[in-house]
Amino acid sequence: TLFRSTMHWHAHRVMDLIFSTEGTSLFSGGIESVLVQWRWGAESKKEFLPRLGAAIEHIAASPNGTIYCTSHSDNKITLIHASLKISGVIQGLVKGVEVKTGLLVDPRTQALVLNGKPGHLLFYSLQNDKHLYHLDIVQQEYINQTGLKQVELVKAAFSARGNWLATIEERQEMETEVELQMKLWQFNESKQSFVLNTRINMPHEDHITGLCFSNTDDSETGVPTLITTANDGRFKVWVLGDDSDIYKQAIGWSCDFVGSYHNLKATNCCFSEDGSLLGVSFEEVVTVWESATWELKCTFCQPPGKIRSLSFGRLSCSKFLLGATDNGFLCCWNLLSCELQWCAQLNVIVLLPDPLSENIVAVSWVSEYSDLFVFKPDEPRPLYVHKSICRGKIQWAVFFRRDVPESIGSESHQWLNKSQLYLLTETQDLMTFSNKSPEDRLTPLSKQLAVEESLPVTPFHLLLSKKRQLEQEKIDADLGRVSSQKTQGTVADRKS
């Protein structure tokens, strides 16, 4: 005889169901990020494991029923005891709806930084393939409700030495109305974290399109300077100054200069290597400004096409400025002669300079595959070409400094000696170039429990490392009872 019962709790679609090993309980999970346990014969007495961080996509049970496992939409696996207590979390790079901040490098820890869970920045160690921590930027409770307009973290930038972090938050209520907030965070040595210093409501009247610090921000003589560009047709210069009052001594950020060009939308910004020049694109026009006086020095407007990305050359190529247009041209201008040096027909979607050399990486896309080109601005012929590097578009790229320069025999790969390139696809796969196997590139798990050199050695850190080691041993013991055969785990690259 079949018995049927209807149980209700989930407000959204249930994504997975599984019976316990004994068949006396049913587990369900979905968008609410809550694991629900339904007991046979007592459906009204539900048990919950809430706040699992992201939508539950799959649920699995061990053969003896002592451990359950949930996989989540943010690229995470949670190990759960039968008593509905979390025993461990396996977290890779957090996978969200969209990476809007791009790929950043924290100059202090050399961690990869990008959008993490909603409203947060994720700090991730590529060297150890390890999640470090989340920094709460929006500082609001995320409400998982269909149709609700959330505050989104859309842009972020670090100063040269990592003393300052700038973030942009955006909330689009209606098509013509946008709420903006810019926050400036200062690194606190005693707390070993970023602390909010300045909050600026509506820094612009329309969507912010560009955000960059001057390369001389953290020098002893330089004044920290931040540039924002927006669709309201302005770029703004923000500087750090005295913000003291009768109650306290303090420093804060304020607007020092506002620039525009013929009421055109400001779309990109970047500083020269020495910080003396600022490049700002206004739709189809590139403007160059002197940072000492904010005086307009020259403009470039050929060939026609809206500027998609902008970058100064470095080291011996610092006299060049490069721009990619949305109609398929890559242009290089000579700042000394104020003339077009060369122009190539290439649909560039990513333009990235290597901070340690003259090399520039350009990623192009035509119809199905992305192609990669490496070149120097003083020579339009590429040093390296990699056709069909992946299917679809590369969204972001970033260079990481190698701790020890690598000895690479192939002449075509010499551009990877000092830096390592990472690429993020539109499906949020993270790719890199390496002549080593993944196992050789990753730090062994046993060494990950030791004190990382990039983190401060404190009594709390040592205590935390010991606690993690004990928790890992306990998880290993539980898993050992589940399976009689030993299995050796491997760390996989991020997958969609």
Side-chain angles (χ1 to χ4, degrees):
T1 304
L2 296 177
F3 295 93
R4 187 181 71 174
S5 61
T6 302
M7 300 175 290
H8 178 73
W9 179 84
H10 293 276
H12 302 281
R13 181 168 63 96
V14 175
M15 303 185 75
D16 200 11
L17 291 167
I18 187 173
F19 279 103
S20 63
T21 306
E22 301 84 359
T24 57
S25 296
L26 176 68
F27 292 88
S28 63
I31 296 176
E32 300 89 353
S33 309
V34 178
L35 182 66
V36 185
Q37 182 179 19
W38 313 78
R39 296 193 180 276
W40 171 252
E43 289 82 1
S44 61
K45 296 181 180 179
K46 301 178 286 292
E47 294 185 47
F48 304 93
L49 181 58
R51 295 184 291 276
L52 292 177
I56 298 173
E57 294 186 333
H58 303 286
I59 309 172
S62 63
N64 62 2
T66 59
I67 294 179
Y68 293 88
C69 177
T70 57
S71 68
H72 301 262
S73 59
D74 63 347
N75 196 33
K76 177 179 64 181
I77 295 174
T78 305
L79 301 175
I80 303 168
H81 278 294
S83 59
L84 291 190
K85 292 184 179 180
I86 296 176
S87 63
V89 175
I90 303 171
Q91 175 70 74
L93 277 173
V94 174
K95 183 178 180 181
V97 177
E98 186 178 0
V99 177
K100 294 188 175 182
T101 60
L103 302 181
L104 309 172
V105 181
D106 177 12
R108 289 180 166 272
T109 62
Q110 288 299 300
L112 175 67
V113 181
L114 68 163
N115 287 106
K117 59 185 181 181
H120 292 67
L121 278 178
L122 167 66
F123 287 70
Y124 195 89
S125 171
L126 289 171
Q127 182 182 9
N128 298 323
D129 195 27
K130 183 178 179 182
H131 176 285
L132 297 179
Y133 65 94
H134 270 105
L135 179 64
D136 188 359
I137 301 297
V138 173
Q139 298 179 332
Q140 292 182 10
E141 187 70 26
Y142 181 78
I143 302 174
N144 199 331
Q145 180 177 331
T146 304
L148 181 64
K149 299 295 183 181
Q150 308 278 359
V151 177
E152 293 185 288
L153 174 60
V154 295
K155 290 193 180 298
F158 286 97
S159 61
R161 295 185 183 176
N163 293 333
W164 292 95
L165 167 66
T167 59
I168 303 294
E169 300 165 26
E170 181 180 291
R171 182 173 180 268
Q172 183 88 43
E173 184 62 37
M174 300 177 64
E175 186 174 348
T176 58
E177 296 181 8
V178 59
E179 298 176 9
L180 299 171
Q181 190 171 83
M182 181 168 70
K183 292 177 181 176
L184 281 303
W185 308 75
Q186 185 177 19
F187 188 81
N188 186 294
E189 292 287 351
S190 60
K191 297 181 178 180
Q192 286 295 297
S193 182
F194 285 95
V195 177
L196 183 62
N197 173 270
T198 304
R199 187 197 313 264
I200 301 170
N201 291 318
M202 294 304 295
H204 286 270
E205 297 176 3
D206 205 341
H207 295 281
I208 293 177
T209 57
L211 180 71
C212 70
F213 279 95
S214 170
N215 297 326
T216 58
D217 283 344
D218 298 324
S219 64
E220 295 180 359
T221 57
V223 177
T225 305
L226 175 70
I227 305 297
T228 56
T229 59
N231 284 338
D232 61 5
R234 297 176 176 87
F235 77 88
K236 292 187 178 182
V237 181
W238 307 86
V239 297
L240 181 66
D242 189 359
D243 196 28
S244 302
D245 53 30
I246 60 174
Y247 301 104
K248 62 178 180 178
Q249 296 288 322
I251 57 174
W253 291 78
S254 61
C255 184
D256 183 62
F257 179 79
V258 179
S260 62
Y261 188 82
H262 295 290
N263 295 321
L264 298 175
K265 293 180 180 180
T267 53
N268 296 276
C269 61
C270 63
F271 275 99
S272 61
E273 187 176 16
D274 62 1
S276 62
L277 296 176
L278 169 69
V280 180
S281 62
F282 291 90
E283 298 186 22
E284 297 186 356
V285 180
V286 176
T287 62
V288 180
W289 306 71
E290 187 176 357
S291 62
T293 61
W294 302 119
E295 177 185 354
L296 179 61
K297 302 300 292 183
C298 61
T299 61
F300 303 108
C301 55
Q302 75 278 8
K306 292 184 179 180
I307 303 299
R308 180 182 284 165
S309 52
L310 202 63
S311 176
F312 280 94
R314 295 176 180 271
L315 301 176
S316 63
C317 295
S318 59
K319 64 180 180 180
F320 298 107
L321 176 63
L322 295 107
T325 67
D326 63 356
N327 61 350
F329 285 96
L330 176 61
C331 306
C332 178
W333 296 281
N334 189 315
L335 297 171
L336 299 181
S337 62
C338 293
E339 294 178 346
L340 182 66
Q341 185 79 9
W342 55 263
C343 186
Q345 190 166 359
L346 195 66
N347 184 35
V348 176
I349 55 176
V350 174
L351 186 66
L352 178 71
D354 179 4
L356 300 181
S357 72
E358 295 90 348
N359 298 326
I360 305 282
V361 164
V363 179
S364 70
W365 179 81
V366 178
S367 58
E368 187 176 1
Y369 292 92
S370 292
D371 301 327
L372 183 138
F373 302 85
V374 182
F375 64 95
K376 293 183 179 180
D378 59 357
E379 175 56 64
R381 288 177 294 182
L383 304 171
Y384 175 79
V385 177
H386 192 125
K387 291 285 188 177
S388 303
I389 191 170
C390 73
R391 184 186 295 272
K393 291 182 179 180
I394 296 292
Q395 279 195 320
W396 304 101
V398 68
F399 274 108
F400 272 79
R401 183 186 71 244
R402 296 187 187 275
D403 294 333
V404 178
E406 227 175 67
S407 177
I408 299 176
S410 173
E411 186 176 350
S412 62
H413 290 83
Q414 292 297 317
W415 60 280
L416 289 169
N417 281 350
K418 298 179 180 179
S419 301
Q420 188 165 358
L421 176 67
Y422 286 86
L423 305 165
L424 186 71
T425 70
E426 59 185 351
T427 56
Q428 297 189 28
D429 290 329
L430 187 66
M431 306 189 306
T432 189
F433 288 87
S434 177
N435 56 0
K436 298 180 180 179
S437 66
E439 291 77 10
D440 292 336
R441 288 189 286 109
L442 296 176
T443 305
L445 180 61
S446 59
K447 293 183 180 179
Q448 290 184 18
L449 297 173
V451 178
E452 292 86 359
E453 295 180 358
S454 60
L455 298 177
V457 182
T458 63
F460 174 76
H461 187 272
L462 294 171
L463 181 64
L464 182 62
S465 297
K466 183 63 177 177
K467 181 177 181 294
R468 288 175 176 170
Q469 185 176 7
L470 294 175
E471 290 177 347
Q472 184 64 43
E473 291 173 354
K474 189 173 185 300
I475 294 172
D476 292 341
D478 291 335
L479 292 176
R481 289 192 292 270
V482 172
S483 175
S484 60
Q485 295 181 346
K486 288 187 178 181
T487 60
Q488 182 177 1
T490 60
V491 184
D493 291 337
R494 183 182 191 180
K495 300 297 181 184
S496 57

